[in-house]
Amino acid sequence: MQIKHLIIFSLVGIAVLLAFNIINDYQRDKDREMALNSATSEQSTTGTQVSDPSSSNNIANKPLGEQPKAILDDATAKIDQAQQTDQARLVQMDDAAK
């Protein structure tokens, strides 16, 4: 195989990989947008509250002795919220399957 054929083959391979990455990134962004839209509409229909993003600031303002408990309470609240959302999704999927 001559060197010019090898160079051409490499350039074609690079172009194919570049096109694949561009298409893959576009599809991933599209999927993310769909997931975000469905999650937003699902939260509004199920009535779950989104935790306050400034809660980490509230934890930092607490005395040092109360911070670990506040962190655990915040994490527990987020886990409970996620479980409620999962349960709501399961119920919706069960209703859609019937």
Side-chain angles (χ1 to χ4, degrees):
M1 181 177 262
Q2 292 182 356
I3 191 74
K4 68 178 181 180
H5 291 127
L6 187 61
I7 292 171
I8 292 171
F9 181 72
S10 297
L11 290 175
V12 169
I14 290 171
V16 168
L17 286 174
L18 181 64
F20 175 76
N21 284 334
I22 290 171
I23 292 169
N24 196 20
D25 286 343
Y26 174 75
Q27 186 65 31
R28 186 179 304 140
D29 289 342
K30 191 176 173 183
D31 289 344
R32 251 189 232 142
E33 184 177 321
M34 285 177 30
L36 181 63
N37 288 340
S38 68
T40 304
S41 65
E42 185 174 303
Q43 285 180 352
S44 65
T45 58
T46 59
T48 57
Q49 288 185 348
V50 178
S51 64
D52 185 17
S54 64
S55 64
S56 61
N57 292 337
N58 293 339
I59 293 170
N61 292 335
K62 292 192 178 210
L64 191 59
E66 294 179 13
Q67 284 182 0
K69 183 178 181 329
I71 292 171
L72 287 175
D73 290 343
D74 186 46
T76 304
K78 288 179 182 178
I79 290 171
D80 290 341
Q81 179 185 359
Q83 287 176 341
Q84 289 173 355
T85 304
D86 285 345
Q87 289 294 339
R89 286 181 186 162
L90 286 173
V91 168
Q92 286 178 353
M93 284 193 285
D94 287 342
D95 291 343
K98 290 180 182 179

